[in-house]
Amino acid sequence: MFRLPAAAAFVLAVLAAAPAPADKITTEQLLTRLSSSIENLKTLRCTVQARERLEGNKYQAARSTMKIAFSPLKVYVRNQKGVEVLWVTGQNNGDAWVNPNAFPYVTLNLDPNGSVMRRNQHHTVLNAGFGTIADLIKGSNLRQDHAYERSFRYTGDSVVAGRACHVLRSDFPQFRYVTYKPAKAESISRIADRFGCGEYRIMERNGLSAEDVVPAGKALQVPNSYGRRTIVCVDQKTYLPTVVQVNDDKGLFEKFEFSEVVANQPIPAAEFSKDYKDYKF
């Protein structure tokens, strides 16, 4: 019997969601509540199942548990392989503590925006949680064209892992790579903000590393937006994302599923210390 891939089946299930009742919620209201819920987070615990496309159209899957405190930012992440990352504002000279859980079994001090930590990672640990989703729907002040952000629409309701969700969908068929030449030297992160496309595909397409500064006049191939089709399932009780799926010109680019979400419950300060009893730094 033929079976659809999981990603395709998920999209079809969302497309089959009931049409949005006119008196229930509008696109503007849903976007506002989603943005507000993310911006008002003080703490967050969650588990994230990620699937990301890497160079050569290979996919990497990871399951991670996260603890995050905001203002000031503190992040702890542990994946299914036992790799641990801790980053705390104002500590360790801006580096993250990393337990690779592999030989030589020593704690590393690494730049969270550097090439070692960004290798085969779509996003920096500093954007753990819902930071990337907030950027998708809000856009950067550097953007001259916010057509992608304006393309999101409330398309109906669905149920994800037993949770009733509102579904936001962006269809952006004009997604493509464009040529960009900086007028002056620019970092990859600034170029990504300018186009709202994220840093990973700029590095992948142009053979660059995270620390590279692009000189003035150098021609780059850069996505003109984040995706061709984007689906965000929003929990109807918390108004936080449960699923985010992005497709581009090659198909599935990334998918994140959030579970065991606990928001705005105090997290002891000790849990953001590398000496915490449950950690192996």
Side-chain angles (χ1 to χ4, degrees), residues 36-50:
S36 179
S37 293
I38 294 174
E39 291 171 1
N40 290 329
L41 281 172
K42 295 179 175 60
T43 64
L44 175 68
R45 293 179 187 262
C46 64
T47 298
V48 183
Q49 182 71 44

Side-chain angles (χ1 to χ4, degrees), residues 22-24 45 54 63 72 86 89 109 135 154 170 186 197 208 210-211 213 222 227 242 254 271 273 281:
D23 61 347
K24 192 166 188 180
R45 293 179 187 262
L54 305 180
R63 182 178 178 85
L86 175 67
T89 298
N109 300 305
D135 292 342
Y154 168 45
S170 160
E186 281 191 280
C197 60
L208 299 173
E211 300 100 329
V213 175
V222 180
T242 56
E254 62 187 21
E271 296 190 34
S273 167
F281 292 106

Side-chain angles (χ1 to χ4, degrees), residues 31-223:
L31 286 169
T32 298
R33 293 179 189 180
L34 172 59
S35 297
S36 179
S37 293
I38 294 174
E39 291 171 1
N40 290 329
L41 281 172
K42 295 179 175 60
T43 64
L44 175 68
R45 293 179 187 262
C46 64
T47 298
V48 183
Q49 182 71 44
R51 180 173 170 81
E52 299 176 318
R53 190 183 69 225
L54 305 180
E55 189 173 359
N57 290 329
K58 298 178 181 179
Y59 284 90
Q60 173 177 268
R63 182 178 178 85
S64 303
T65 56
M66 299 180 179
K67 305 175 189 178
I68 307 171
F70 302 89
S71 299
L73 181 64
K74 305 173 185 178
V75 181
Y76 171 80
V77 180
R78 185 181 190 277
N79 71 11
Q80 78 277 12
K81 296 180 180 179
V83 177
E84 297 176 287
V85 177
L86 175 67
W87 188 90
V88 179
T89 298
Q91 295 188 18
N92 203 29
N93 297 314
D95 286 346
W97 289 285
V98 180
N99 163 28
N101 197 34
F103 183 83
Y105 296 98
V106 296
T107 298
L108 307 175
N109 300 305
L110 298 175
D111 179 356
N113 292 309
S115 58
V116 175
M117 287 196 70
R118 292 301 308 274
R119 185 184 301 125
N120 293 334
Q121 299 293 324
H122 283 194
H123 306 287
T124 169
V125 69
L126 303 183
N127 255 353
F130 304 124
T132 299
I133 298 105
D135 292 342
L136 287 185
I137 61 178
K138 185 176 181 181
S140 165
N141 292 333
L142 292 175
R143 294 292 303 273
Q144 295 182 351
D145 180 1
H146 288 272
Y148 171 77
E149 290 85 357
R150 292 194 297 267
S151 68
F152 280 91
R153 296 289 182 270
Y154 168 45
T155 60
D157 297 334
S158 188
V159 176
V160 177
R163 306 286 294 183
C165 295
H166 297 308
V167 180
L168 274 171
R169 173 173 169 147
S170 160
D171 288 299
F172 198 74
Q174 57 268 50
F175 174 94
R176 67 186 188 282
Y177 281 80
V178 298
T179 301
Y180 174 67
K181 296 180 180 179
K184 60 181 181 180
E186 281 191 280
S187 66
I188 294 173
S189 62
R190 185 175 176 84
I191 295 171
D193 283 347
R194 187 183 297 279
F195 286 89
C197 60
E199 301 168 16
Y200 181 81
R201 281 174 295 196
I202 298 177
M203 295 187 289
E204 177 190 39
R205 187 70 169 251
N206 298 281
L208 299 173
S209 297
E211 300 100 329
D212 288 340
V213 175
V214 182
K218 179 179 175 63
L220 298 179
Q221 289 296 303
V222 180

